[in-house]
Amino acid sequence: MQPISIAIDGPSAAGKSTLSRMLAKHLGFLYVDTGAIYRTVGLFVKRNHIGPKDEPAISALLDQIQIHLQYDETDGLQHMYLGEEDVSEAIREHIISQYASDVSTLPVVRRFLLSMQRNLAASGNVVMDGRDIGTVVLPNANVKIFLTASAEERARRRFEELKAKGAETSFETVLQDIRQRDHQDQTRATAPLKQAEDAILIDSTHLSAEECLEIIVSIVKSVQARQAEQEIQNGALQE
Ligand code: DC
């Protein structure tokens, strides 16, 4: 049996991570957060005092970067490691969001991370979220979802999250940041954020995470049923 892959793409703060984590848990699949991988490259670049768009300098340093993912045995959560250091918290810092968005515009970085992401998907059944999973990383994914929400709603959710963490920022700043990252993610030349032709669009502006989960689980079930039917037909044809 080929491993099953589910690609979840969409703009920043659309709820991809929450939903992908819930979905992976529900299905017993591995969850791969590819944004965290780009963030780890962003952190590495920042720590090396390199400009996040300085392609020649970043390219020269990429073979020194040691990134790996590890799954926590108790909660199953994905942890990111830079060398021996667990950087899962450090990559969530606000400044690293911008570094990640900047380094992700560089073809050399995207090429470098492509095989890593494909190898993770080949290792078993996965839910993988990002910006180009359905279009570039896993163009043959069994299920493709494009999850979005209005910029205002995404900013509201991110703002509430930041407030709960005690961060001091205004709603307007968060909204402006989201708009700027949307623009950069959608207009970059290499693997821009866009809906794959065969992806199903889910607008979560007025939906809870549970409602989105229900919709996606029913999509996954119907795709799996169709595939099982196809396999039976293929088997019958071969007999
Ligand atoms: O999902 P996130 O906000 O943690 O991602 C951080 C940045 O990484 C985002 O601005 C775009 C980039 N990214 C990407 O270009 N391709 C992916 N598959 C995942 C993230």
Side-chain angles (χ1 to χ4, degrees):
M1 278 273 277
Q2 287 278 345
I4 298 170
S5 50
I6 301 177
I8 309 216
D9 290 303
S12 302
K16 297 186 301 293
S17 322
T18 309
L19 198 63
S20 302
R21 199 175 301 122
M22 286 163 73
L23 181 66
K25 195 166 175 210
H26 184 91
L27 299 170
F29 286 16
L30 193 68
Y31 165 47
V32 181
D33 170 2
T34 63
I37 306 177
Y38 282 93
R39 284 171 180 272
T40 306
V41 176
L43 179 69
F44 173 78
V45 165
K46 179 169 182 291
R47 285 185 175 177
N48 280 280
H49 311 289
I50 300 172
K53 288 193 178 176
D54 185 345
E55 189 158 27
I58 294 174
S59 174
L61 263 193
L62 272 183
D63 57 356
Q64 287 176 29
I65 187 169
Q66 288 183 322
I67 298 186
H68 71 272
L69 285 81
Q70 210 162 297
Y71 288 87
D72 189 297
E73 276 180 23
T74 44
D75 56 18
L77 289 183
Q78 171 185 318
H79 284 245
M80 292 306 309
Y81 281 82
L82 196 50
E84 298 292 304
E85 181 189 350
D86 184 343
V87 293
S88 312
E89 294 249 326
I91 60 170
R92 297 293 155 196
E93 269 181 42
H94 187 59
I95 178 115
I96 301 303
S97 304
Q98 193 55 48
Y99 265 80
S101 183
D102 285 348
V103 298
S104 75
T105 63
L106 306 177
V108 68
V109 171
R110 305 204 73 85
R111 254 196 320 275
F112 177 75
L113 296 182
L114 191 58
S115 55
M116 180 185 207
Q117 295 170 86
R118 286 188 175 155
N119 289 341
L120 284 163
S123 68
N125 298 333
V126 293
V127 176
M128 189 175 270
D129 82 354
R131 303 294 189 288
D132 61 337
I133 310 305
T135 51
V136 176
V137 179
L138 305 175
N140 297 322
N142 304 70
V143 177
K144 296 183 188 176
I145 304 289
F146 195 82
L147 183 71
T148 186
S150 70
E152 288 75 12
E153 174 59 16
R154 287 183 285 127
R156 191 192 62 74
R157 292 176 193 167
R158 182 55 54 87
F159 178 62
E160 293 301 329
E161 231 173 72
L162 289 170
K163 221 168 54 177
K165 281 189 195 159
E168 282 187 22
T169 181
S170 68
F171 172 79
E172 283 67 33
T173 310
V174 177
L175 179 60
Q176 205 182 343
D177 261 26
I178 282 198
R179 288 211 163 112
Q180 193 201 329
R181 283 214 284 148
D182 280 359
H183 179 75
Q184 177 153 290
D185 294 348
Q186 285 161 357
T187 56
R188 68 178 175 227
T190 312
L193 167 68
K194 65 167 192 249
Q195 184 179 342
E197 273 178 19
D198 50 351
I200 296 168
L201 176 71
I202 299 180
D203 183 340
S204 76
T205 308
H206 304 293
L207 296 175
S208 66
E210 287 72 21
E211 286 168 324
C212 291
L213 178 69
E214 214 174 291
I215 296 171
I216 300 180
V217 167
S218 74
I219 293 170
V220 172
K221 279 195 182 142
S222 70
V223 169
Q224 282 179 324
R226 214 178 323 131
Q227 282 172 352
E229 219 170 88
Q230 199 114 46
E231 275 170 29
I232 292 169
Q233 274 177 8
N234 291 345
L237 282 178
Q238 279 167 11
E239 275 169 17

